[in-house]
Amino acid sequence: SFLRDRYHQMWVGTYGGLLRFDDKQQSFKLYQFDKSPSRNNYTRNITELPDGNFLLGTPVGPWIFNPKTEKFKQLPILKNRNIFSVYQSKDSTIWLAAYFEGLYGFRYQDKTWKQVYSGMKQFNINVIREDTVSKKLWIGSEKGLIELNPTNRIYHFYNDRHGLGNSYIYGVVIDKRRDIWLSTNHGI
């Protein structure tokens, strides 16, 4: 996973933590939440939160990294779950997808985590993105594309029978015209 933060720093998910690329030195600095990572403990997904912290998806649950203090903190939610995708929608809901365990939505208020959504257990979700105009989530899975209205929790499912070139969705990008681009096993 790659992230360019608000200060234009480049971050890369790696075994046990993160690498930050130093453009001046042309080198990487390693930050680790796991000092002796196995091949099964790595940062799969990174998203920057409005407070400047990073939310990380890892095989041992979600973590927060504060780039100013250079400290990690494991979140008290979905511990030891294999988090495949992390995303924060414009309404501040934190969306997390766990390996073959579906989609979860959380809100953080008054220093407590409140679960506001749990569903789609039949899908292995690879990516979550939001159309910020319609407020719908576009979710890529191993079975196809899911359009979720988080307000009423109704979703529509699209796969190769609906015209997709392939049903295995790795990535979703929504452009300025609100066209949706998908990366699949058979290209874009």
Side-chain angles (χ1 to χ4, degrees):
S1 183
F2 293 93
L3 171 73
R4 184 177 297 273
D5 70 17
R6 65 185 68 189
Y7 302 109
H8 306 287
Q9 297 277 335
M10 181 62 75
W11 298 84
V12 181
T14 189
Y15 290 106
L18 294 168
L19 292 167
R20 181 179 53 82
F21 182 69
D22 184 326
D23 193 39
K24 291 178 183 148
Q25 299 290 324
Q26 292 290 296
S27 63
F28 287 93
K29 181 174 180 183
L30 178 63
Y31 302 89
Q32 289 184 295
F33 61 85
D34 184 344
K35 300 295 183 197
S36 57
S38 70
R39 295 192 68 183
N40 297 323
N41 196 5
Y42 55 92
T43 300
R44 176 188 305 278
N45 213 276
I46 314 165
T47 194
E48 186 173 11
L49 301 174
D51 64 4
N53 289 333
F54 302 160
L55 176 60
L56 313 177
T58 79
V60 293
W63 288 74
I64 294 286
F65 176 70
N66 183 325
K68 290 189 188 316
T69 64
E70 301 180 353
K71 302 269 189 228
F72 289 92
K73 180 174 117 183
Q74 188 169 24
L75 294 183
I77 55 174
L78 303 179
K79 280 188 174 182
N80 298 315
R81 303 269 181 79
N82 191 351
I83 304 300
F84 256 51
S85 188
V86 297
Y87 185 79
Q88 183 175 27
S89 55
K90 293 295 180 196
D91 71 356
S92 297
T93 302
I94 301 286
W95 296 95
L96 302 160
Y99 185 66
F100 283 104
E101 293 186 51
L103 180 68
Y104 298 88
F106 290 91
R107 292 273 176 92
Y108 184 70
Q109 294 173 309
D110 302 320
K111 298 186 180 185
T112 58
W113 289 91
K114 179 182 177 193
Q115 187 170 324
V116 295
Y117 183 86
S118 176
M120 299 190 193
K121 307 273 188 224
Q122 70 273 34
F123 298 105
N124 182 36
I125 295 170
N126 297 318
V127 63
I128 307 160
R129 293 294 178 261
E130 178 183 30
D131 176 336
T132 57
V133 175
S134 71
K135 309 286 191 253
K136 292 180 180 177
L137 296 180
W138 290 93
I139 300 163
S141 78
E142 91 295 358
K143 295 179 182 176
L145 181 67
I146 305 153
E147 173 190 15
L148 172 67
N149 181 329
T151 305
N152 62 19
R153 300 180 181 205
I154 293 173
Y155 70 86
H156 300 282
F157 177 72
Y158 308 94
N159 62 17
D160 53 356
R161 287 180 268 164
H162 299 98
L164 296 181
N166 183 265
S167 293
Y168 202 106
I169 311 295
Y170 290 102
V172 175
V173 174
I174 303 168
D175 68 20
K176 291 178 183 178
R177 295 185 323 181
R178 296 179 54 216
D179 292 326
I180 299 167
W181 297 83
L182 308 174
S183 61
T184 73
N185 275 343
H186 290 275
I188 296 176

